[in-house]
Amino acid sequence: MTGEIFRDAWGIPHLRAGDAIELARLQGRVTALDRAWQLETERHRAQGTSASFLGSEALPWDRFARRVRLADTARRCLTELDRRDPETGRWLRAYVEGVNEGLAAQNASSSPASGPTGTAETAAPPGSSAPPGSSAAPEFARVALAPGRWEPWTPLAVWLSTHILFAGFPAKLWRERVVECLGRDAVGLFAADGPGTSGSNGWLVAGERTVTGQAVIAGDPHRFIEDPGVYQQIHLSCPEFDVVGIAVPGVPGIAHFGHTGSVAWAITNAMADYQDLYRERLRRTGAGVEALGPDGVWHRAARHTETVEVAGEDPVEVEVIETDRGPVVIGGPEGLDDGVTEPGTPPVAVALRYPPRVTGDLGFGALLPLLRARRVADVDRALDLWAEPVNVVQAADTEGGTLHRVAGRVPVRAEANRIAPVPAWEPGHDWQGWHESPRAGLTDGVAVMANQRGPAAPLGVEFAAPHRADRIAALLAGRERWSAAEMPALHTDTHLASAAALLDHVAALGGLTGPAAGLRDRLLDWDRRMDADSTGAALHAAVRGALVRQLARHPAFARLAAPPACPEVFRPWLALVPRIGYALEHLLTAKELYGVDRPAAVRAALEEVAARPPAGTWGDTHRLAPWRALPPTTPYDEPALSGDHDCVLCTSSVPGLTDLAARGPAARYVWDLARREDSRWVVPLGASGVPGSPHHRDQSPLWLAGDLVPVVTDWDVLRREDVVRGRDARERTDAFDQPDKADGPDKADGLQEFAELREVQEETDV
């Protein structure tokens, strides 16, 4: 390998190679060095084989992955990519080669490893030296797993696996249930935009509104916080381009957030609806299955069975059926998997239709053009190739160009398709081409995207509440000129506008007991900021949770409390308490609520909390709860968090169920178009996915404080890492590239440290 790996003080990889192909190979290699366990977990999830080492808890996902045909769709997309864009196909293969080299160098043994079921998962790649469970990948030893080989289609499968539920198609099952139980008018009451689940923030400030005269783009994607992190800070450089950005481990290039020096871009979830559910009528014909089509004719469906290995248990067979609409993800000819079908009703079978399965295109053709972009027009052309997920994109360049548009593929079809599952045997529910991508401009030199009803409004059904977008716009309007350094103040704003609906009800209450009256007064005096050290925020959250549970117990919602039987992976979308918690603002402000006495419910919640008030602050219960494939061997003392799901600092709890936050800012960024080196970024944990590494969690204190890490692009202040032999050079680098925690962000701002450590590197390099 001729490329070079450099590291900054935070262990972030900076890669330099002679061409784009070699750079992709280097990116794959360094990702495997830093995130081996994460890569293998994602590969297995995409293949539907994660239960083979994680056990029965992973079986529901594996069933879904097999039935929805993730791996097969990825293979289909690779075939189309090779046909349409062979250059990107070669680039993708180079990345996969690098991943396999990195896994071989760091994490595989020289002989097959016996998995927990007693069979070898895979033979070790040739040339490997470190056994599973080495310091580079201790998780492998815990499950007796050796890394397997990545195929050229694996990155596409990982991307698809990551985003297949991103658009929330199971919400259509919920809306169908709401219509059955409460009527069609109730759909709006439970819409996600009042208040919604976490999404992402992003804002563009044009040069006319900055102190430098050049644009600034900033924001933070909100996703489930995972350990290792779902995003990877990286710097990719070759003669064609030099880009810093935030990548997805397992996928080449920089898809979502990037800065080439002359142009920068960022995205949020557009909240578009681009996946459809079809209720199917199926029947068996010998060894086959047929589905009734909209033409009144029974058509043969594709069918086969697959075996899912489960650690410590017997293998499980999964029947995979695909109709002309798409793969059947719920039920089958006999109904649901568990055999639960209401008497007198036809068997349940539901198929999913999603764009990559239809077109064979995941949008990977946009990745190389994005890296090569020099101006906004280049980003715009690249995004014409984008497919999934559907995003709102903002971009700006050094010539004053700006861009605010939707990117992705949304089918044109009947309105009924967008609301709930539709009958496959009735005409009028087919797809009729693709929507044009909406565009928007700037207002007073500013554009804000926070999953609200913006340019993507014609493409979606439910959006995030407007509170985050309105708050960002109001804060930006409060100053005529902004600098990149001032943007973190917006990232960390904790004002909770959606609290008004509950507090208005609280203010109207009279005749309370003494403790409840005192609690009412404290709530009304609260500044409506969800700060970790706030007792007022803790009281508000406690009353809110008690009210959600009061409403969930009301007879009006009794049928919704028992959702229909369905696969386990869909159940979070069908749970009543979270649905009421997220829709509380709508439920409290609606003209009438199915006979629910809302003042009485608020009174009961207030009296309940007054009798047993929270003893501490919001941060005592609002703590980070990251997802991990395996629990840590030594539990972490997860930090207290500020924010809430309708704050700009969107750290989402589930009102009525838990104050813990599993979702929040999975990264933060500030892209400065005046000087790229004045840009900043941070992730919740760190650059390394290896527990115990100095860079596993070293960015967490900054993330918690709202501080950012400098974006370093000067190669002379970076430290080179030996990639030819791949031996213990990383361990040597980790030993001296950790900033002094006591110095915090100020230490990271001082590049003198880099120069001194570079001298040490030069003395120790071979």
Side-chain angles (χ1 to χ4, degrees):
M1 178 171 294
T2 59
E4 298 175 290
I5 297 175
F6 294 77
R7 304 273 180 176
D8 62 22
W10 301 93
I12 296 169
H14 299 250
L15 313 180
R16 189 165 62 184
D19 57 46
I21 296 295
E22 188 59 35
L23 185 60
R25 184 169 175 170
L26 194 62
Q27 183 184 4
R29 181 183 177 98
V30 81
T31 303
L33 297 179
D34 291 352
R35 307 288 188 94
W37 170 252
Q38 180 181 23
L39 289 186
E40 282 300 273
T41 300
E42 293 301 326
R43 180 179 72 86
H44 280 281
R45 281 176 57 81
Q47 294 176 171
T49 55
S50 56
S52 65
F53 62 97
L54 295 178
S56 58
E57 289 187 2
L59 181 58
W61 171 265
D62 283 357
R63 284 180 181 270
F64 170 68
R66 303 295 186 99
R67 298 191 73 177
V68 81
R69 312 214 66 187
L70 293 183
D72 185 73
T73 302
R75 288 189 286 266
R76 180 180 295 184
C77 289
L78 178 64
T79 298
E80 282 297 299
L81 182 67
D82 287 337
R83 184 180 67 83
R84 299 174 184 176
D85 186 356
E87 181 191 22
T88 298
R90 292 191 296 272
W91 177 73
L92 177 65
R93 283 173 169 79
Y95 179 87
V96 170
E97 290 173 5
V99 168
N100 285 326
E101 290 171 0
L103 292 175
Q106 290 286 62
N107 298 292
S109 66
S110 57
S111 60
S114 293
T117 59
T119 59
E121 197 279 339
T122 182
S128 47
S129 56
S134 70
S135 61
E139 297 93 342
F140 286 100
R142 292 177 60 186
V143 294
L145 179 72
R149 182 171 180 80
W150 278 48
E151 299 297 334
W153 52 265
T154 304
L156 294 111
V158 167
W159 184 265
L160 188 57
S161 172
T162 301
H163 296 104
I164 188 67
L165 294 173
F166 203 70
F169 70 80
K172 296 185 179 187
L173 301 171
W174 166 258
R175 290 197 288 267
E176 181 181 55
R177 188 67 168 170
V178 168
V179 171
E180 290 174 354
C181 298
L182 299 174
R184 191 171 181 83
D185 291 343
V187 170
L189 285 176
F190 285 95
D193 41 342
T197 56
S198 65
S200 301
N201 301 319
W203 56 95
L204 187 162
V205 182
E208 64 194 74
R209 295 287 306 279
T210 69
V211 297
T212 64
Q214 293 283 2
V216 173
I217 298 175
D220 48 357
H222 304 151
R223 304 181 71 137
F224 280 99
I225 305 298
E226 300 181 13
D227 182 4
V230 68
Y231 283 123
Q232 173 192 36
Q233 299 149 297
I234 203 162
H235 179 191
L236 304 175
S237 182
C238 67
E240 278 191 274
F241 50 79
D242 186 286
V243 189
V244 295
I246 303 173
V248 173
V251 178
I254 295 170
H256 285 161
F257 311 95
H259 195 329
T260 73
S262 60
V263 66
W265 67 91
I267 63 96
T268 62
N269 182 4
M271 308 295 284
D273 176 68
Y274 52 90
Q275 301 163 320
D276 282 351
L277 291 176
Y278 292 82
R279 291 206 172 271
E280 298 277 3
R281 288 181 177 170
L282 305 178
R283 69 181 186 186
R284 294 199 184 275
T285 57
V289 172
E290 292 182 339
L292 183 62
D295 57 0
V297 176
W298 290 90
H299 297 266
R300 188 172 184 83
R303 179 208 171 271
H304 68 277
T305 59
E306 297 183 12
T307 301
V308 180
E309 299 289 338
V310 183
E313 298 184 11
D314 293 334
V316 174
E317 276 201 349
V318 176
E319 184 176 37
V320 179
I321 300 172
E322 184 166 8
T323 72
D324 292 340
R325 271 66 59 192
V328 174
V329 295
I330 300 175
E334 290 76 39
L336 296 167
D337 296 335
D338 57 10
V340 178
T341 302
E342 296 181 13
T345 61
V348 175
V350 180
L352 172 66
R353 188 170 181 82
Y354 58 102
R357 189 70 187 163
V358 173
T359 65
D361 182 19
L362 260 180
F364 272 41
L367 297 180
L368 267 175
L370 279 174
L371 295 176
R372 291 166 173 160
R374 296 293 181 268
R375 299 291 179 264
V376 158
D378 302 328
V379 173
D380 198 13
R381 282 191 295 272
L383 294 176
D384 288 339
L385 303 172
W386 193 259
E388 183 173 336
V390 179
N391 296 321
V392 175
V393 185
Q394 293 177 341
D397 62 33
T398 54
E399 294 181 355
T402 59
L403 179 69
H404 188 192
R405 65 164 288 187
V406 177
R409 200 168 275 138
V410 179
V412 177
R413 74 278 207 214
E415 181 66 19
N417 291 46
R418 291 149 52 92
I419 304 302
V422 293
W425 56 89
E426 293 183 1
H429 298 297
D430 54 339
W431 288 6
Q432 301 289 334
W434 308 99
H435 280 282
E436 292 290 329
S437 296
R439 296 171 180 270
L442 279 63
T443 302
D444 296 327
V446 168
V448 177
M449 52 181 187
N451 316 113
Q452 79 282 15
R453 291 181 183 272
L459 307 179
V461 177
E462 298 183 15
F463 294 81
H467 304 304
R468 287 185 284 116
D470 290 348
R471 179 64 174 172
I472 293 168
L475 291 171
L476 289 173
R479 183 175 301 172
E480 183 62 28
R481 296 282 188 273
W482 286 86
S483 70
E486 293 165 330
M487 293 301 167
L490 277 70
H491 283 137
T492 54
D493 186 80
T494 60
H495 184 262
L496 186 66
S498 62
L502 173 55
L503 295 180
D504 287 348
H505 276 277
V506 169
L509 292 177
L512 296 166
T513 63
L519 174 57
R520 176 194 59 195
D521 294 342
R522 292 181 66 186
L523 285 173
L524 297 180
D525 287 340
W526 171 52
D527 62 5
R528 304 190 185 188
R529 290 187 174 275
M530 298 297 286
D531 295 325
D533 60 358
S534 170
T535 56
L539 292 172
H540 171 265
V543 173
R544 180 180 63 184
L547 176 59
V548 168
R549 293 187 293 272
Q550 287 279 343
L551 294 177
R553 290 193 293 266
H554 194 278
F557 304 128
R559 290 182 63 197
L560 287 172
C566 67
E568 187 175 330
V569 292
F570 301 144
R571 291 177 189 168
W573 281 268
L574 300 171
L576 178 60
V577 169
R579 280 290 176 178
I580 289 180
Y582 291 140
L584 186 62
E585 186 177 15
H586 277 180
L587 299 176
L588 290 177
T589 57
K591 185 176 180 180
E592 201 277 330
L593 189 65
Y594 303 96
V596 177
D597 186 342
R598 285 167 289 185
V602 174
R603 180 187 301 274
L606 203 67
E607 294 283 2
E608 176 186 328
V609 174
R612 294 179 298 278
T617 65
W618 176 225
D620 288 337
T621 56
H622 189 54
R623 292 182 171 271
L624 185 64
W627 180 86
R628 300 179 178 91
L630 291 174
T633 52
T634 302
Y636 296 103
D637 184 15
E638 298 296 358
L641 299 177
S642 294
D644 199 23
H645 56 265
D646 273 336
C647 300
V648 179
L649 179 53
C650 185
T651 53
S652 291
S653 60
V654 185
L657 188 63
T658 179
D659 289 341
L660 296 175
R663 291 181 295 191
R668 295 192 185 104
Y669 60 90
V670 178
W671 297 147
D672 192 341
L673 272 298
R675 294 180 73 249
R676 187 169 62 165
E677 53 267 42
D678 287 339
S679 299
R680 297 288 189 271
W681 54 7
V682 75
V683 294
L685 299 177
S688 173
V690 182
S693 161
H695 301 302
H696 180 216
R697 298 173 71 92
D698 59 335
Q699 294 185 49
S700 291
L702 299 180
W703 180 79
L704 286 169
D707 294 320
L708 305 177
V709 174
V711 170
V712 181
T713 57
D714 184 350
W715 299 96
D716 289 336
V717 297
L718 298 170
R719 296 178 296 283
R720 185 169 63 84
E721 184 173 288
D722 183 354
V723 300
V724 175
R725 287 188 263 185
R727 41 183 183 77
D728 61 349
R730 266 181 40 78
E731 296 177 12
R732 288 189 291 105
T733 303
D734 281 348
F736 61 72
D737 70 356
Q738 174 70 357
D740 186 347
K741 294 291 198 312
D743 292 331
D746 292 337
K747 183 62 170 286
D749 284 334
L751 296 183
Q752 178 61 36
E753 176 202 29
F754 293 166
E756 295 172 355
L757 293 179
R758 181 168 176 265
E759 292 178 4
V760 176
Q761 174 73 56
E762 290 171 346
E763 293 174 1
T764 56
D765 273 343
V766 176

